[in-house]
Structure formats: structure tokens, C-alpha cells
Amino acid sequence: MDFNHNEDRRMLENTLSRYVREQYDFETRMKIAGADEGYSAEKWAEMAELGIIGALFKEEDGGFGGHGFDLMVVFEQIGRGIVVEPFLGTAVLGGGLVADLGSDEQKAILDDVIGGAKTLAFAHGEPTSRYSLSDVTTTATKSGDGWVLNGHKSVVSGGDSADTLIVSARVSGDRLDEDGIALFMVDAGADGVDRRDYGTVDGYGAADIILRDVAVEASALLGGEGDAFAAIEKATARGILALSAEALGAMEVVKDMTLDYLRTRNQFGVPIGRFQALQHRMADLLMEVEQARSIVINAAGALDGDRLEREKAVSAAKNLIGRVGRLVAEEAIQMHGGIGMTWEFSMPHFAKRIIMLDHMLGDTDHHMARYIALSSAA
């Protein structure tokens, strides 16, 4: 089987790789991550102009990609630059749900999203839901021709800067039921939306969002009443692939930096890479990264397949990526010695992002249990 990308994806990869290398170096990234806005509107517009956001949407939705390998190409390069702009919430989760469920009128917002003029966030997780996709206690109650939303959404990725929130809410059923969940497009500045912004430990923007009697029109409902679970699961699968590819890109950078350090750091008159113990540890690390690449490729290939194949592939990927990522981060810090913990050096920031990625959209343990459950149900 040929695992090489086609010409369009190679061009996309080269374009984004060059942009990250030349326009988004470590000093620039740290300056953006430390700003109050949480991301750079200027950089976001530049990447939109390059077509990076459009590559994450299918042609029928105004983009020119949107398939698994498009996500892999883009997010691997995002990981190589630990780019903080809100690609996940805007183009994969929020934008993916609008593309999947939206009417023609609702999908009109995608033109602005792809053009970089608007950002989205998927407000789904709640303080007690952990990684369950069906645990929704936020309520949507009919009021006249519209709806009234009440609830609390937590750690919403990109929620600090989003113009529009895609909010999940229960219209019927019990707390854990898959049936009865609906999605609504809510203006982030609407009356009753209390957005509590903060930065995560790895430098990204997030928010807790409190909804108090937020009134929306009937046109805010995405898709049907109470049947959004399948779309949420599908969008989350795309998000898991994106995060796995991002972790892979970050791991590649950490691996290269560690190899370079072992070749140049001298001790007892020789490079420390000549010590057999470190050679063995580095060899193990290299093989694990290659395994990680293989399972991300497998998930990318399965993303447009049937539901069970897709979900098993992304859970397997997230589990392995979490385990390999932890190994790469810990080994790189140990082999770098004291410099591996310094703020001014870029490597520990990559390591921190790799560890945090394991906790987004389900960690290693969650996806191991989920993969077993899916296999048993097959």
C-alpha cells in the first residue's frame, strides 16, 4: 500500500511547514500564547489566506479537503509549531458539526470561518461528564417559537475567543441517554452567556461557559430535535484524529531535538550519544514514534469508513498516542538533564503540550476501555 500523500496534500504540507518554520518560530509562539487574546488574529488570517482552514472542510462545504489525511497533514504541522490558533474548535469540532447538520442558511457561516473572519467552539463537556459524550445535563426548553438554554459547559477549547458557540443541550431523556441531545448555534455575546476565560497550562485558550436563560430562535437548532449524538460522535472522532496527528508532529520535534542534543552534548570528552545506555533508550523511542505514525495513518484511513471501524481506529490511535507521547516527553526531559526543565528552552513546552493532548477528548485509559467495549459489541 502506498502511504505517500498525493500532490495536493504534499503542497499543503510544504506550505504550512514553511509558514510555521519561517513565520511561527518559538519566540513568536510564546508571545502569542502569553497575550490576552489567546491567539493571533493576524496569524489566523494569514493561515486562512494560505488555505489551511479550507483544507479541513469538504468541497460541498466550501473547502477543498476535509478527509482524514487532510486533517493529519494540517495537524501534524500544527504540532510541529505548537500553534495555539483555534483550529480544533473552529474547523474540526464546531465547523464540522455545522457542516454535518446545518441547513443552507446555517452553513453560510462557514464562508466566514474558512476565510478567517469568524471562530467557533464546541461547548459540550460539563463538570461531571468527564469523557462521556452522552452525559449532558444542560437543558433546552421550548419557549414560543424558540428555545431557552440553561447549564454549565467546562474547559471549552477555544471558547475564550469564539464568536459563535455550538452548544449541546438535552431536550428529552435522562442524563446519560444518547437520544434527546440537540445542538444549538449560540452567539458568544448573547444575553445570559457568562464566559469565564483562562489559559491552560500548555498555553492554549479555554473557557467555562455558564448559560442562564439564554433565549435563542428556532433557527439556532442544528439538525433535528434530540438526535445529535451520532454527529457529535463523528465530529469527536475527527477531533481525536486531529489531536493524535498534532501529538505526532510535536513528538517528531522532540525526537529530533533529543537526537541533536545527544550528538552535541559532551561529557568525559565525548558526545553523550556514544554511551550505550542512552543509545538503547533513544532506539526504543525512535521505534515508538514510528508506531505512533502508523496508527495515526490507520485512523486517517478509517475516518470516512463505517461507524464501528472509525470509532475503533480513533480510540486505538488515542490510546497508543497517549502512551507513546508520555514516553517521549519523559525520556526527552531526562536525557536533556537540567535544561529539559527550563522555561526559555522550547523542548519542555513541546513535552507539556504532548502530555496535555492525552487528556483532551479522552485519555489513554478511557480509550483502552472504549476500544474493548467496541470490540466486544462487534
Side-chain angles (χ1 to χ4, degrees), residues 72 76 80 244-259 281-297 317 320-332 335 354:
M72 181 180 173
E76 186 175 347
R80 294 185 73 92
S244 298
E246 182 182 343
L248 176 63
M251 281 191 273
E252 290 281 5
V253 173
V254 170
K255 178 196 74 178
D256 291 344
M257 294 177 76
T258 306
L259 273 173
R281 289 169 67 176
M282 199 65 213
D284 289 343
L285 191 149
L286 294 174
M287 287 191 292
E288 293 291 344
V289 173
E290 285 307 304
Q291 284 200 68
R293 176 171 295 281
S294 296
I295 206 156
V296 174
I297 290 173
L320 185 65
I321 286 291
R323 289 190 284 123
V324 174
R326 187 179 303 117
L327 173 72
V328 170
E330 292 176 352
E331 285 287 77
M335 284 191 270
I354 291 170

Side-chain angles (χ1 to χ4, degrees), residues 57 62 115-116 183 269 298-299 376:
F57 289 90
L183 293 171
N298 182 63
S376 300

Side-chain angles (χ1 to χ4, degrees), residues 4 53 117 151 155 214 234 267 276 294 307 348 354 370:
N4 293 313
I53 304 173
V155 200
V214 178
K234 184 177 176 182
Q267 201 167 52
Q276 194 173 47
S294 296
R307 183 252 173 188
I354 291 170
R370 187 169 186 265

Side-chain angles (χ1 to χ4, degrees), residues 27-28 87 136 173 239 275 324 335 346 356 359 361 375 378:
E27 288 71 23
T28 301
F87 283 95
V136 175
F275 301 147
V324 174
M335 284 191 270
S346 64
M356 286 297 291
H359 298 284
L361 301 181
S375 300

Side-chain angles (χ1 to χ4, degrees), residues 130-351:
R130 193 164 166 73
Y131 300 129
S132 171
L133 295 180
S134 65
D135 190 343
V136 175
T137 60
T138 295
T139 60
T141 308
K142 276 192 173 178
S143 176
D145 294 333
W147 298 82
V148 175
L149 308 182
N150 281 284
H152 181 181
K153 300 296 183 180
S154 61
V155 200
V156 178
S157 178
D160 57 322
S161 56
D163 299 303
T164 301
L165 304 170
I166 310 302
V167 178
S168 62
R170 186 165 292 286
V171 297
S172 64
D174 295 327
R175 172 180 163 182
L176 298 176
D177 289 348
E178 294 180 0
D179 292 333
I181 302 172
L183 293 171
F184 297 87
M185 297 176 68
V186 179
D187 189 315
D191 290 341
V193 175
D194 180 7
R195 188 161 58 175
R196 300 174 183 179
D197 305 344
Y198 48 85
T200 58
V201 68
D202 52 348
Y204 290 72
D208 271 28
I209 295 169
I210 315 297
L211 305 159
R212 295 189 183 90
D213 295 328
V214 178
V216 296
E217 297 180 354
S219 59
L221 177 66
L222 274 172
E225 294 181 16
D227 58 0
F229 180 81
I232 292 171
E233 187 181 63
K234 184 177 176 182
T236 302
R238 292 170 60 81
I240 290 170
L241 170 63
L243 295 178
S244 298
E246 182 182 343
L248 176 63
M251 281 191 273
E252 290 281 5
V253 173
V254 170
K255 178 196 74 178
D256 291 344
M257 294 177 76
T258 306
L259 273 173
D260 185 60
Y261 186 75
L262 295 184
R263 288 169 179 148
T264 55
R265 171 74 166 89
N266 288 322
Q267 201 167 52
F268 306 114
V270 296
I272 60 175
R274 290 191 182 180
F275 301 147
Q276 194 173 47
L278 292 180
Q279 289 177 357
H280 286 173
R281 289 169 67 176
M282 199 65 213
D284 289 343
L285 191 149
L286 294 174
M287 287 191 292
E288 293 291 344
V289 173
E290 285 307 304
Q291 284 200 68
R293 176 171 295 281
S294 296
I295 206 156
V296 174
I297 290 173
N298 182 63
L303 198 65
D304 293 329
D306 65 43
R307 183 252 173 188
L308 187 59
E309 178 189 6
R310 179 191 73 212
E311 295 303 320
K312 285 174 62 179
V314 297
S315 276
K318 196 65 164 57
N319 171 268
L320 185 65
I321 286 291
R323 289 190 284 123
V324 174
R326 187 179 303 117
L327 173 72
V328 170
E330 292 176 352
E331 285 287 77
I333 288 173
Q334 286 193 18
M335 284 191 270
H336 271 86
I339 194 174
M341 297 294 287
T342 56
W343 181 264
E344 294 79 7
F345 187 39
S346 64
M347 195 279 293
H349 295 272
F350 282 90

